[in-house]
């Protein structure tokens, strides 16, 4: 019998990279997990479950850990969220489940929901256990999913539970989208992302990698499938549109993160400027420090009160020794053979100055690439418009979810979208769908 396809049979991340990016939140030991689980008040109408976009039954999975049923705990998590392992590492829990914990009201530390979730999911992975559900008998329906990120993975897994054939297409050679290529290694290691996705082909989901869907292939997919799910994420990081941007030494945050996660980038030049102050910008700045940069400066045209990064990410950046230049924007990139300096303007008084740098990392947000499907589905400012309840687009046979519909949110939001869209597709194909409310078709 041939060996099953394992995405995690990937060249291992270099030991040097692993050493530079240790876990931000180390795993709980059993000795620590049980007492932590026993701190939970097991609230009825638990606010943590409401705050979780995938509505994991948090008190239930924690109660199972407390009673020693760790396998059952993992099953509870996976029933709601197929990527419960990566979400346990990547979710910004301060603004989601843990932020809603009632213990805040009495001045106590919230339950460490994410670390408990990771405890259960790590045990599930280590045991080599399968996903806790099997596909329904084949319905005869087929769905093509474009993009292999979290939204498509969640959608495909749910479709299989309804007996619907699911094939995922992606331009890259590995699945996972941002989970695999774009989340800081100290939050979600590349190997962990792939190990989690290894379980999905076992449901019968098929994958086609290194495949960019062009107009002709899309027509073919339409002809051969009952529905199409667009989980295409976002496009490239925006350019600055200033002189010198083509010089060697200018890169962008996503390329840097994907590069070091795969082992292609092992070191950083000494002086780094990061343009932008969102979460991805901070990930890139911290990565530069960990890769050996001596001086990392983040440049933002507004003040600290206006940054889009979460407060805990900003605090983390400061702890790593990153310097911030507020109310400052780039005017030109200077250099002959490669980047030598950044010409900057203070937005408060229009004064200018030069910052000597060896590399510049752009992190001013991602463009959209939904225009590829513009003659198929309606978009607004580049976002694919959907009925939030079903994921259905303006085209009844097209569904969508994740970053291409919301402009860029969390992994857990994409998982929730994908699952919802699968239920919408299943209802459409089995003839039980409600009429799409086109007034709902909003992000
Ligand atoms: S998936 Fe994320 S938000 Fe939901 S309970 Fe788990 S850690 Fe919290």
């Amino acid at each position: 019998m041939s060996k099953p396809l394992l995405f995690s049979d990937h060249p291992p991340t270099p030991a040097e990279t692993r050493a530079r990016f240790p876990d931000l939140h180390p795993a709980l030991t059993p000795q620590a997990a049980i007492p932590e689980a026993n701190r939970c008040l097991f609230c009825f109408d638990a606010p943590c479950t409401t705050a979780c976009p995938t509505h994991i039954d948090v008190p239930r999975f924690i109660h199972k850990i407390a009673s020693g049923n760790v396998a059952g705990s993992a099953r509870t998590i996976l029933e709601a969220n197929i990527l419960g392992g990566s979400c346990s590492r990547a979710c910004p829990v301060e603004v989601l489940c843990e932020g809603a914990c009632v213990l805040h009201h009495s001045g106590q530390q919230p339950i460490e929901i994410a670390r408990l979730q990771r405890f259960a999911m790590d045990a599930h992975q280590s045991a080599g256990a399968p996903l806790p559900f099997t596909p329904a008998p084949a319905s005869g329906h087929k769905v093509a999913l474009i993009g292999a990120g979290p939204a498509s993975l969640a959608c495909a897994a749910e479709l299989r539970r309804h007996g619907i054939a699911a094939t995922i297409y992606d331009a890259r050679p590995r699945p996972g989208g941002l989970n695999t290529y774009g989340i800081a290694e100290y939050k979600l290691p590349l190997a962990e992302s792939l190990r989690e996705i290894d379980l999905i082909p076992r449901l019968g989901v098929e994958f086609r990698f290194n495949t960019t869907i062009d107009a002709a292939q899309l027509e073919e997919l339409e002809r051969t499938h009952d529905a199409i799910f667009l989980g295409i994420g976002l496009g490239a990081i925006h350019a600055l549109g200033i002189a010198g941007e083509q010089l060697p030494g200018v890169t962008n945050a996503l390329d840097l993160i994907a590069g070091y996660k795969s082992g292609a980038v092992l070191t950083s030049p000494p002086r780094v400027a990061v343009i932008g102050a969102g979460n991805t910008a901070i990930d890139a700045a911290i990565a530069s420090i960990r890769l050996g940069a001596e001086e990392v400066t983040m440049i933002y045209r507004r003040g600290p009160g206006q940054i889009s990064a979460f407060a805990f990410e900003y605090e983390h950046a400061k702890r790593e020794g990153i310097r911030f230049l507020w109310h400052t924007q780039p005017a030109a990139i200077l250099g002959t053979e490669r980047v030598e300096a950044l010409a900057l303007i203070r937005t408060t008084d229009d004064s200018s100055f030069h910052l000597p740098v060896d590399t510049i990392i752009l992190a001013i947000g991602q463009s959209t690439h939904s225009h590829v499907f513009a003659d198929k589905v309606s978009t607004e400012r580049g976002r694919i418009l959907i009925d939030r309840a079903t994921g259905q687009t303006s085209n009844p046979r097209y569904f969508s979810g994740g970053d291409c519909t919301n402009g860029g949110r969390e992994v857990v939001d994409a998982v929730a979208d994908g699952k919802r869209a699968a239920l919408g597709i299943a209802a459409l194909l089995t003839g039980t769908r409600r009429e799409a409310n086109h007034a709902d078709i909003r992000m």
Side-chain angles (χ1 to χ4, degrees):
M1 200 172 113
S2 63
K3 188 170 172 259
L5 170 67
L6 286 181
F7 301 124
S8 53
D9 286 348
H10 180 276
T13 305
E16 186 184 338
T17 305
R18 288 206 308 276
R20 286 180 183 274
F21 294 88
D23 275 357
L24 192 58
H25 302 294
L28 287 171
T29 61
Q31 293 73 20
I34 306 292
E36 182 63 14
N38 275 313
R39 280 206 314 125
C40 182
L41 302 180
F42 308 115
C43 304
F44 186 71
D45 281 343
C48 48
T49 292
T50 305
C52 170
T54 54
H55 302 308
I56 290 176
D57 189 338
V58 175
R60 188 172 162 84
F61 94 71
I62 291 180
H63 187 264
K64 287 181 177 175
I65 292 175
S67 63
N69 180 9
V70 181
S73 176
R75 283 197 295 276
T76 299
I77 295 162
L78 288 164
E79 274 292 333
N81 183 333
I82 192 85
L83 300 181
S86 50
C87 286
S88 74
R89 293 162 178 265
C91 276
V93 289
E94 292 84 347
V95 295
L96 294 174
C97 54
E98 292 182 21
C101 180
V102 297
L103 292 180
H104 283 291
H105 301 318
S106 52
Q108 298 179 65
Q109 284 296 314
I111 300 298
E112 291 199 80
I113 296 169
R115 291 179 79 201
L116 287 168
Q117 183 171 317
R118 177 177 163 187
F119 176 75
M121 295 310 305
D122 282 353
H124 184 267
Q125 286 283 0
S126 300
L131 290 167
F133 29 77
T134 49
S139 68
H141 294 116
K142 289 165 71 178
V143 174
L145 302 97
I146 304 178
S152 288
L153 295 170
C155 184
E158 190 66 28
L159 288 170
R160 294 298 301 130
R161 295 181 78 177
H162 289 79
I164 297 169
T167 305
I168 297 180
Y169 298 81
D170 198 285
R172 300 181 102 154
R174 303 269 166 190
L178 282 184
N179 257 25
T180 299
Y181 294 104
I183 295 180
E185 191 75 0
Y186 48 78
K187 295 178 191 165
L188 177 59
L190 179 146
E192 289 301 324
S193 170
L194 294 176
R195 190 165 73 128
E196 180 175 51
I197 303 169
D198 278 343
L199 298 182
I200 294 179
R202 289 158 76 173
L203 289 176
V205 175
E206 297 193 3
F207 289 83
R208 306 275 187 274
F209 296 114
N210 303 306
T211 306
T212 302
I213 300 297
D214 60 20
Q217 284 166 305
L218 193 57
E219 296 302 327
E220 177 67 9
L221 292 182
E222 278 191 357
R223 205 178 53 72
T224 53
H225 292 76
D226 298 288
I228 294 176
F229 178 80
L230 302 177
I232 58 174
L234 293 174
I237 293 223
H238 290 297
L240 288 170
I242 59 175
E245 211 164 347
Q246 76 295 341
L247 281 169
V250 179
T251 185
N252 70 69
L254 290 178
D255 284 353
L256 172 75
I257 294 167
Y260 86 74
K261 282 174 75 80
S262 66
V265 175
L266 293 171
T267 58
S268 169
R271 299 169 303 178
V272 177
V274 179
I275 316 294
N279 295 313
T280 305
I282 286 179
D283 282 348
I286 293 173
S288 300
I289 292 270
R290 301 283 180 98
L291 292 168
E294 290 160 13
E295 190 181 288
V296 178
T297 308
M298 294 190 70
I299 293 157
Y300 185 53
R301 64 199 162 99
R302 297 199 180 107
Q306 283 89 44
I307 62 174
S308 59
F310 293 123
F312 58 88
E313 297 282 15
Y314 175 41
E315 292 304 317
H316 183 194
K318 288 194 287 187
R319 285 198 306 279
E320 295 271 347
I322 288 157
R323 187 168 77 112
F324 288 82
L325 277 181
W326 304 115
H327 303 289
T328 304
Q329 65 182 31
I333 295 169
L334 310 175
T336 47
E337 300 289 309
R338 57 168 293 118
V339 169
E340 293 169 16
L342 192 52
L344 294 162
I345 296 177
R346 290 188 188 88
T347 57
T348 45
D349 59 7
D350 282 344
S351 60
S352 58
F353 62 104
H354 289 180
L355 178 73
V357 291
D358 305 299
T359 194
I360 295 169
I361 301 169
L362 307 183
I364 51 171
Q366 288 172 260
S367 61
T368 58
H369 52 184
S370 59
H371 58 273
V372 177
F373 301 95
D375 62 339
K376 299 290 184 186
V377 298
S378 297
T379 63
E380 188 176 273
R381 287 177 287 121
R383 298 176 189 182
I384 297 172
L385 296 175
I386 57 170
D387 175 349
R388 293 305 310 176
T390 63
Q392 193 174 40
T393 69
S394 56
N395 180 331
R397 288 181 62 206
Y398 279 71
F399 291 72
S400 187
D403 286 357
C404 60
T405 64
N406 61 34
R409 288 210 192 127
E410 306 305 324
V411 176
V412 67
D413 294 298
V415 173
D417 278 2
K419 187 171 175 181
R420 226 175 356 246
L423 296 174
I425 294 169
L428 171 74
L429 298 183
T430 56
T432 57
R433 95 178 161 96
R434 72 181 177 98
E435 280 308 304
N437 177 359
H438 287 273
D440 283 354
I441 297 184
R442 284 287 174 269
M443 65 159 266

